């Protein structure tokens, strides 16, 4: 029982941490660290939720969850009645296992769907997009709305609309392309996948929607950092401002593109040079995240 | 964009820029500078039909091929897809629609009402990112 209660406490702390992290600003000062913390928090929350159910249900076995599950399987296989005293605990075990399967399947189904959509997108791009000397390394779509995005994958594809090419000057285009290229290289689509899969599975959860938005913004900031390393921040800031000013006109808001409601935060961050979170802070955050994952893992595996 | 992909693109361009459904022979003639074999073009049109990009209808003894949607409709679909890569699809769509011209809006409507696209949109109702 202590085990289940312990994991339950961790679960509650994780949910609270989720809420805090959604509104956190410190992550903007160290977006990479922020992303690691988000991933760890997501993992810890999932493991704790499963752990609470399984810990409660398998309590009679007086062992860690993993050993207890194998004992239960052995019991069922050999026909002896399992040791649980109450049907409620039986329900908890089933619920825990179902939750684990549900989470894994949700991510896999989302990934398969995304891959299918991407394949079609790539095929259509091959048919209607063209190369343009003004936008080297990118495909151009003949559309007046300003758009810039990266189609992720093994070979990431950068795409601009003619509207975007006309709107930006050469340096700004280069900065935007560097930003999009960073998304492809750093596989930000994989970073976002667990969160978008969760949002698809629980579409009405406000918290999860906010979490997706928060992680998306951090992903944009990581790409901004990459882009300004090669080109100074002025062209990128200018490009972002132009995208923002055309909003209400149109700004296709791809998670890996230019979303106009994130722009003020990103511009402010780029123009304020004193924003780096110092190393001790970043290490502390990563350590806390690691601890958050280690606790449910430990409680699940170690015997009581 | 080389090889078969490039051929598909060339054939689609012929169909898009042409005047109505075309036979294989007419497409071969339009691409005469490439000196393509009849069977090559037929294979390409078959592939495009399987991908749902061209329709075909019998005209006497020959088949006539036409694009399933206009070039503009596919561009609109791609732009809309890029929007779908993130959260609030309805708001994004409104933002996008506000900007497009009349003809483009029509193309977007056409792209969205295509059965394949509608089905996919419903299935991905809470967009993967």
């Amino acid at each position: 029982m202590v085990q289940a209660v312990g994991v339950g406490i961790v679960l509650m702390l994780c949910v609270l941490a989720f809420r805090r992290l959604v509104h956190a600003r410190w992550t903007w000062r160290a977006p990479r660290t922020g992303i690691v913390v988000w991933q760890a928090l997501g993992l810890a929350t999932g493991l704790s939720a499963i752990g609470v159910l399984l810990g409660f249900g398998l309590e009679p076995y007086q062992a860690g969850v993993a050993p207890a599950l194998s004992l239960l399987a052995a019991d069922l296989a050999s026909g002896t009645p399992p040791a649980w005293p109450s049907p409620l605990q039986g329900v908890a075990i089933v619920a825990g296992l179902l939750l684990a399967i549900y989470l894994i399947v949700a991510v896999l189904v989302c990934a398969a769907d995304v891959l299918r959509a991407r394949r079609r997108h790539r095929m259509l791009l091959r048919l209607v997009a063209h190369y343009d000397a003004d936008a080297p390394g990118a495909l151009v779509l003949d559309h007046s709305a300003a758009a810039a995005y990266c189609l992720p994958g093994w070979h990431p594809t950068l795409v601009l609309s003619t509207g975007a090419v006309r709107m930006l000057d050469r340096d700004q285009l280069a900065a935007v392309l560097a930003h999009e290229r960073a998304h492809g290289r750093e596989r930000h689509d994989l970073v976002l996948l667990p969160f978008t899969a969760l949002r698809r599975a629980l579409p009405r959860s406000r918290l999860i929607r906010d979490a997706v938005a928060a992680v998306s913004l951090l992903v944009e900031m990581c790409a901004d950092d990459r882009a300004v390393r090669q080109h100074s921040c002025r062209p990128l800031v200018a490009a972002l401002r132009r995208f923002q000013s055309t909003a209400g006109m149109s700004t296709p808001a791809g998670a890996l593109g230019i979303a106009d409601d994130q722009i003020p935060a990103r511009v402010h961050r780029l123009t304020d040079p004193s924003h780096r979170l110092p190393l001790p802070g970043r290490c502390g955050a990563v350590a806390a995240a690691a601890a958050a994952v280690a606790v449910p893992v430990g409680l699940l595996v170690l015997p009581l | 964009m080389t090889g078969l992909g490039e051929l598909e693109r060339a054939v689609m361009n012929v169909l898009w820029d042409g005047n109505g459904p075309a036979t294989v022979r007419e497409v071969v003639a339009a691409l005469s500078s490439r000196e393509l074999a009849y069977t090559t073009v037929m294979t390409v049109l078959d592939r495009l039909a399987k991908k749902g990009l061209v329709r075909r209808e019998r005209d006497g003894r020959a088949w006539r091929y036409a694009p399933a949607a206009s070039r503009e409709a596919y561009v609109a679909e791609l732009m809309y897809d890029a929007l779908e890569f993130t959260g609030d699809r309805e708001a994004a769509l409104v933002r996008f629609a506000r900007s497009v011209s009349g003809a483009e809006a029509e193309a977007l409507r056409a792209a969205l009402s295509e059965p394949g696209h509608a089905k996919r949109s419903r299935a991905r109702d809470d967009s993967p990112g």
Side-chain angles (χ1 to χ4, degrees):
Chain A
M1 194 49 71
V2 173
Q3 205 183 47
V5 169
V7 176
I9 292 175
V10 170
L11 178 62
M12 283 193 301
L13 288 175
C14 281
V15 174
L16 285 171
F18 240 86
R19 288 184 201 276
R20 291 293 300 274
L21 205 55
V22 162
H23 300 294
R25 289 284 189 265
W26 66 265
T27 46
W28 294 3
R29 298 165 62 199
R32 275 203 152 86
T33 309
I35 286 176
V36 168
V37 169
W38 267 111
Q39 301 279 8
L41 194 57
L43 190 58
T45 309
L47 288 176
S48 308
I50 297 167
V52 156
L53 293 167
L54 290 180
F56 169 65
L58 293 166
E59 190 259 334
Y61 283 98
Q62 295 293 313
V65 164
L69 274 176
S70 53
L71 286 174
L72 173 65
D75 272 350
L76 289 171
S78 67
T80 49
W84 67 61
S86 77
L88 188 62
Q89 283 173 313
V91 168
I93 295 174
V94 171
L97 291 174
L98 284 179
L99 179 60
I101 294 170
Y102 181 69
L103 289 175
I104 294 171
V105 167
V107 173
L108 290 177
V109 165
C110 191
D113 214 46
V114 166
L115 281 176
R116 198 180 11 245
R118 237 180 250 168
R119 240 198 318 267
R120 179 177 169 89
H121 196 107
R122 216 178 277 283
M123 173 190 74
L124 289 180
L125 276 178
R126 267 200 293 269
L127 286 178
V128 302
H130 58 272
Y131 287 114
D132 190 325
D134 290 332
L139 284 173
V140 176
L141 273 182
D142 196 2
H143 199 285
S144 57
Y149 64 95
C150 169
L151 184 68
W154 195 248
H155 298 290
T157 310
L158 305 180
V159 184
L160 295 170
S161 67
T162 44
V165 173
R166 281 197 284 266
M167 185 176 76
L168 303 172
D169 71 28
R170 205 189 47 191
D171 292 332
Q172 293 161 0
L173 267 177
V176 165
L177 287 175
H179 170 104
E180 298 303 332
R181 202 172 289 122
H183 280 314
R185 288 223 178 103
E186 297 188 1
R187 297 310 305 256
H188 290 158
D189 59 311
L190 294 177
V191 165
L192 283 164
L193 178 63
F195 297 97
T196 50
L198 205 53
R199 181 186 57 198
R200 214 167 154 226
L202 300 169
R204 274 191 282 269
S205 164
R206 185 66 207 263
L207 185 61
I208 292 177
R209 256 181 217 279
D210 291 345
V212 170
V215 181
S216 301
L217 182 53
L218 291 181
V219 151
E220 294 303 322
M221 290 175 170
C222 281
D224 285 340
D225 284 349
R226 251 327 244 278
V228 302
R229 251 193 275 158
Q230 306 159 25
H231 319 255
S232 75
C233 64
R234 277 226 323 227
L236 183 62
V237 169
L240 289 177
R241 287 205 166 116
R242 290 203 184 176
F243 272 105
Q244 184 178 24
S245 70
T246 66
M249 281 177 52
S250 93
T251 314
L256 303 183
I258 313 272
D260 48 316
D261 48 342
Q262 302 170 332
I263 288 177
R266 291 163 61 191
V267 165
H268 180 256
R269 181 177 171 269
L270 288 170
T271 49
D272 173 12
S274 64
H275 60 81
R276 274 254 155 278
L277 193 68
L279 188 58
R282 282 183 275 155
C283 288
V286 174
V293 177
V295 168
V297 169
L299 289 174
L300 293 182
V301 169
L302 298 174
L304 195 49
Chain B
M1 283 183 278
T2 56
L4 193 53
E6 213 253 306
L7 265 182
E8 291 182 348
R9 185 186 167 94
V11 167
M12 287 303 300
N13 280 334
V14 167
L15 294 179
W16 277 322
D17 298 331
N19 324 318
T23 61
V24 177
R25 224 163 270 292
E26 286 165 1
V27 175
V28 171
L31 294 171
S32 57
S33 58
R34 291 167 185 257
E35 297 182 347
L36 296 167
Y38 182 94
T39 47
T40 308
V41 175
M42 201 170 67
T43 308
V44 171
L45 283 166
D46 266 346
R47 279 171 56 104
L48 290 171
K50 277 205 187 66
K51 292 185 189 176
L53 295 168
V54 311
R55 293 186 324 258
R56 56 180 171 198
E57 48 200 44
R58 254 212 183 287
D59 179 20
R61 271 174 40 204
W63 288 99
R64 286 196 170 269
Y65 295 82
S70 68
R71 195 190 270 119
E72 291 71 33
Y74 286 127
V75 171
E77 180 182 336
L78 286 170
M79 295 286 282
Y80 179 67
D81 245 14
L83 293 177
E84 268 200 63
F85 288 153
T86 187
D88 204 344
R89 187 158 68 97
E90 279 83 43
L93 179 56
V94 167
R95 256 198 318 260
F96 183 51
R98 249 190 287 146
S99 76
V100 299
S101 70
E104 289 162 337
E106 210 38 63
L108 179 56
R109 253 192 292 275
L112 291 175
S113 63
E114 267 162 50
H117 192 277
K119 193 171 69 163
R120 269 186 300 114
S121 302
R122 265 200 302 279
R124 291 188 290 148
D125 194 31
D126 297 281
S127 330

